[in-house]
Amino acid sequence: SSWTQHKKHFFILSSAGKPIWTRHIVMTTLYGDESRISTLMGVIQAIISFFQDGDDAIKTMNAGHHKFVFLHREPLYYLAVAKTGESDVQLRDQLLYLHNQILSVLTGAQLTRIFEQRVNFDLRRLLSGTEVFLDSLSTLFNRDHSFMLSALQCLRLNKRIREQVGSILTGRKVKDLLYAMIVAKGRLVTLLRPRKHSLHPSDLHLLFNMLTGSTTFHTAESWTPLCLPKFNSKGFLHAYICYIARDVSIVMISTDKDRFFDLSEWKMAIVETLQKEAILEKIVDASEQNYRIENVGVPGLAHFLYKSKAHVQFTCPDFSAPYTNDTHCKRLFRLYQYVYDRMHNRARPLKLYFHENEHEIILGWITSSFELYVVFKPGTSKRNIISSSNHLLRWIRRNEDNLFILDSPVF
């Protein structure tokens, strides 16, 4: 009964009303008593069908403090129920991520074929063991700014070290390789890619969620089929995943399902070089010592998000007081979402937005090259906010070669 105390829920069901996954409600085993969840899913399916029968599609419904957002991606239905203050667009984007997470396990072509053959098919049988990634993703929506900004967060790393890592990855050509990357604590260290192709941020978000959402990949080399929906939603690629140090992994993506041993051999050579040149140790140290707001040296500054549009990457400091407190941290996260949604409103987009409450002041600033959301302590004057924001921009420009990947290695 405690599930009603949560502020946000997600539901996934088939077009026939079969339950597939929920957040906060534990579905019993396939052979257990699931009458409660089945009844709830039946109600959701009935509401959607009511509108479909009238040649319409329900998108959003408000009831008191709760917002209901629906998404239909044949043959699946998705529903978000929230009283978090998030907008329709933000909740719908989260539902799209959940849909793409399912597509990463089962391609769109597979999904369509399965339900064409059997409309009442229980998809949980095929998704068994991967629910942990849906759970992890839905948790990240409430603490990771990557999804809102549609951008990647890179590990802050000395430019020379990053270039050395890139040079090591480009030092050997492996047949049928598409991408190779090193990731530390969910932050990109470097990415090797074909000269004319780049990975969409949402595909990388799903891949990073796999790395951090389960301990499965921490214990041994893994070789797993993977669909990257933005790259190609109709087919599988094959991912070699191996943790080479504490919270540091190497990921290689190939088009050939028989390349495991070639990639494993290459990984050993990469690790040997990284260790020999003491680079791996420096990556681990950097992942454990992200910068804080105090390192920026801007008076009155409490926190910020900065997105480089050209590189589709963002940076932000670790939280300092008062945001080390969970309540304050959650409030700030929702405030960022509110200001972002207000500025990206399709009916009336804004370039500047100023918001003040009893806890903090936030300025949103969007230009052709960057997005900046900067938070100040209460009582900071507008003059100081403008001056400090420009000071911050100068600091970011001075440090951009270690905050961002400016030149990704290519082949």
Side-chain angles (χ1 to χ4, degrees), residues 75-306:
L76 305 181
Y77 295 145
Y78 299 80
L79 169 64
V81 182
K83 56 176 180 179
T84 56
E86 292 165 283
S87 70
D88 301 7
V89 172
Q90 289 168 337
L91 291 171
R92 191 166 288 109
D93 284 346
Q94 292 171 21
L95 293 177
L96 277 169
Y97 265 106
L98 293 175
H99 174 66
N100 285 336
Q101 179 63 57
I102 289 179
L103 291 186
S104 73
V105 179
L106 299 167
T107 67
Q110 275 186 310
L111 267 180
T112 301
R113 185 169 60 252
I114 288 167
F115 283 95
E116 281 178 348
Q117 295 172 353
R118 188 178 168 190
V119 71
N120 284 323
F121 185 79
D122 193 335
L123 196 63
R124 287 175 294 175
R125 296 178 185 274
L126 291 181
L127 294 177
S128 179
T130 65
E131 302 93 340
V132 63
F133 300 123
L134 292 168
D135 293 340
S136 172
L137 195 58
S138 61
T139 299
L140 288 176
F141 292 152
N142 297 317
R143 68 183 190 203
D144 189 338
H145 301 291
S146 303
F147 303 98
M148 178 186 77
L149 294 171
S150 298
L152 296 173
Q153 186 172 16
C154 299
L155 180 71
R156 187 184 183 189
L157 189 66
N158 180 276
K159 178 186 177 182
R160 185 181 60 81
I161 297 173
R162 201 188 306 273
E163 287 175 344
Q164 286 179 296
V165 177
S167 179
I168 292 169
L169 290 183
T170 55
R172 176 175 172 181
K173 186 172 177 61
V174 178
K175 190 177 180 182
D176 300 313
L177 178 74
L178 263 181
Y179 301 98
M181 66 195 81
I182 293 178
V183 183
K185 286 191 174 179
R187 295 172 183 174
L188 190 63
V189 176
T190 194
L191 168 67
L192 174 66
R193 61 178 179 84
R195 189 172 299 276
K196 296 183 179 180
H197 295 280
S198 58
L199 270 176
H200 195 281
S202 68
D203 282 341
L204 282 168
H205 292 160
L206 294 177
L207 184 57
F208 292 176
N209 178 56
M210 282 181 59
L211 296 174
T212 59
S214 170
T215 57
T216 304
F217 299 111
H218 288 247
T219 54
E221 296 174 289
S222 299
W223 184 241
T224 181
L226 173 70
C227 174
L228 298 175
K230 293 292 186 180
F231 180 83
N232 178 14
S233 65
K234 297 180 180 179
F236 281 113
L237 300 171
H238 302 273
Y240 172 89
I241 300 171
C242 183
Y243 272 80
I244 58 177
R246 185 174 62 256
D247 295 321
V248 179
S249 59
I250 187 166
V251 181
M252 305 168 181
I253 299 175
S254 173
T255 57
D256 188 344
K257 62 182 174 60
D258 297 318
R259 288 290 164 197
F260 171 82
F261 292 105
D262 292 338
L263 296 176
S264 178
E265 181 183 334
W266 185 35
K267 180 268 302 182
M268 287 190 286
I270 291 171
V271 173
E272 182 180 349
T273 306
L274 289 174
Q275 291 176 331
K276 182 180 178 181
E277 299 183 13
I279 295 172
L280 188 56
E281 180 183 352
K282 293 172 184 174
I283 292 173
V284 172
D285 289 343
S287 70
E288 294 177 346
Q289 299 174 8
N290 189 36
Y291 69 99
R292 305 179 75 85
I293 203 69
E294 293 81 7
N295 304 129
V296 181
V298 177
L301 187 63
H303 198 260
F304 71 89
L305 300 177
Y306 176 93

Side-chain angles (χ1 to χ4, degrees), residues 329-341:
C329 183
K330 287 180 179 178
R331 186 190 68 252
L332 179 62
F333 190 90
R334 296 297 178 216
L335 182 59
Y336 275 133
Q337 286 184 311
Y338 170 78
V339 173
Y340 182 92
D341 184 66

